[in-house]
Amino acid sequence: MADDDRLLIDRFLEMMAAERGASRNTLLAYRSDLDGARLIAGGLADASTAMLERLSPAWVTLSASTVARKVSALRAFYAFLEEEGLRADNPSAMLPRPITRRPLPKILSAADVDRLFGVIEARLAVDSPVPHDLRLSAFIELLYGSGLRATELVSLPRRALSGDRPFLILRGKGGQERLVPISDRARAAVAAWVSHIPPDSVWLFPSGKSHMSRIRLYQLVKALAGAAGIDPDRVSPHVLRHAFATHLLEGGADLRALQSMLGHADIGTTQIYTHVDSRRLVELVNSRHPLATMKAAR
């Protein structure tokens, strides 16, 4: 039966990739969640409601968001079995429905970002900057200047930025394509780094036979934070993506434009950034709304 479960999980994940465009990271998370549930429940394909009841006690120490993800994986898996005619019922209806709140993003101030770039500029202000510092400059310019996800950044093809084209086209989560503007600074930083890439590399940021890993990128960003006198726990590639979005919004960017640049399928995901902008919104109402210039009517 364990072999049957593995085969069905493989088929389910193939469907998720082909029909729903699930990313590699999503597929890995779903596989891990389903394999873990299979071991706890004693099987998945033929699991009864009673067998799935074993999961709740095993999840009691997990966060609500983690449990929600695991439940989502199981619900999707059993819906797939129903659609394929492999089960007549869906035992996942009894699984817990944890209430989760979208966490507010960690943010960096503009001064914090200036400190990060200050370290890089000091390292590059020598006669012959070392290649690793040129690469780090390209990383930070693209993370903060374009809001790329870590996976999108490290897996950029060598020719992703071509000529004077001020944008690149990315395929992000769910296989959705989006246009990402690239600043002159970022293009200059990438151009300085490109000459140090091995001629036979197909990646913009190669490492061995593939591209650099996300883990290594995280390490480099945290090391830079430490060098800038910022707590490394406050800084990550994703935090720089948040800073990109937050600072654009503070500068007057349209929420829909920001949604497009970030690659969010749901604008509700983008709206989380408005929490940092409430003071500015009040100021806008007080200074620019027509009522602000009208005398109070008697």
Side-chain angles (χ1 to χ4, degrees):
M1 193 57 63
D3 290 339
D4 290 343
D5 277 345
R6 293 192 183 98
L7 289 173
L8 289 174
I9 290 173
D10 287 343
R11 285 176 56 185
F12 165 67
L13 295 177
E14 288 173 3
M15 179 279 294
M16 291 290 291
E19 297 183 14
R20 303 188 187 179
S23 69
R24 180 175 179 273
N25 291 339
T26 297
L27 296 176
L28 289 173
Y30 269 31
R31 182 181 294 280
S32 175
D33 290 338
L34 293 172
D35 281 340
R38 175 176 60 82
L39 295 174
I40 296 170
L44 289 183
D46 297 323
S48 64
T49 299
M51 292 171 68
L52 291 187
E53 286 177 349
R54 301 173 189 171
L55 296 173
S56 293
W59 292 344
V60 70
T61 60
L62 303 179
S63 68
S65 60
T66 299
V67 173
R69 191 197 68 220
K70 292 179 180 295
V71 170
S72 176
L74 284 163
R75 291 187 189 283
F77 176 68
Y78 283 114
F80 165 74
L81 295 186
E82 279 191 297
E83 291 172 2
E84 294 291 305
L86 299 173
R87 278 197 74 127
D89 64 325
N90 188 332
S92 66
M94 52 69 57
L95 291 171
R97 294 178 178 269
I99 298 174
T100 61
R101 294 182 179 178
R102 190 184 299 276
L104 295 179
K106 294 180 181 179
I107 59 172
L108 292 176
S109 67
D112 289 332
V113 175
D114 285 343
R115 289 161 70 182
L116 295 176
F117 279 106
V119 172
I120 294 174
E121 289 169 3
R123 292 180 182 179
L124 298 183
V126 296
D127 292 336
S128 299
V130 298
H132 284 182
D133 286 335
L134 293 172
R135 182 184 64 185
L136 181 63
S137 174
F139 275 144
I140 304 303
E141 289 286 357
L142 288 169
L143 280 171
Y144 178 67
S146 301
L148 299 183
R149 297 181 177 95
T151 300
E152 294 169 340
L153 176 60
V154 297
S155 61
L156 282 175
R158 178 179 186 146
R159 302 188 184 280
L161 280 70
S162 59
D164 294 329
R165 189 176 67 184
F167 64 88
L168 56 84
I169 298 175
L170 288 179
R171 186 180 297 275
K173 286 186 176 181
Q176 298 294 318
E177 286 190 346
R178 75 180 193 276
L179 187 146
V180 178
I182 304 297
S183 68
D184 291 342
R185 284 179 52 125
R187 286 191 289 125
V190 170
W193 158 244
V194 163
S195 62
H196 296 277
I197 302 174
D200 60 343
S201 173
V202 299
W203 307 106
L204 185 57
F205 301 107
S207 179
K209 295 182 179 180
S210 185
H211 55 71
M212 178 177 286
S213 69
R214 291 186 307 153
I215 298 300
R216 182 58 182 147
L217 175 62
Y218 273 67
Q219 292 170 342
L220 292 173
V221 170
K222 289 185 177 297
L224 174 64
I230 302 171
D231 182 356
D233 289 340
R234 293 181 54 218
V235 188
S236 71
H238 208 63
V239 169
L240 285 169
R241 173 174 158 87
H242 287 320
F244 161 81
T246 301
H247 297 166
L248 267 181
L249 194 63
E250 288 176 345
D254 175 78
L255 202 61
R256 286 289 182 185
L258 192 59
Q259 176 192 7
S260 175
M261 285 187 282
L262 291 172
H264 290 160
D266 181 1
I267 197 170
T269 306
T270 316
Q271 285 173 331
I272 193 171
Y273 293 103
T274 60
H275 82 286
V276 299
D277 213 25
S278 57
R279 182 177 60 187
R280 176 179 166 275
L281 293 177
V282 171
E283 291 173 352
L284 284 174
V285 170
N286 288 334
S287 63
R288 299 189 185 182
H289 192 281
L291 289 177
T293 59
M294 292 173 62
K295 293 182 178 180
R298 290 184 181 275

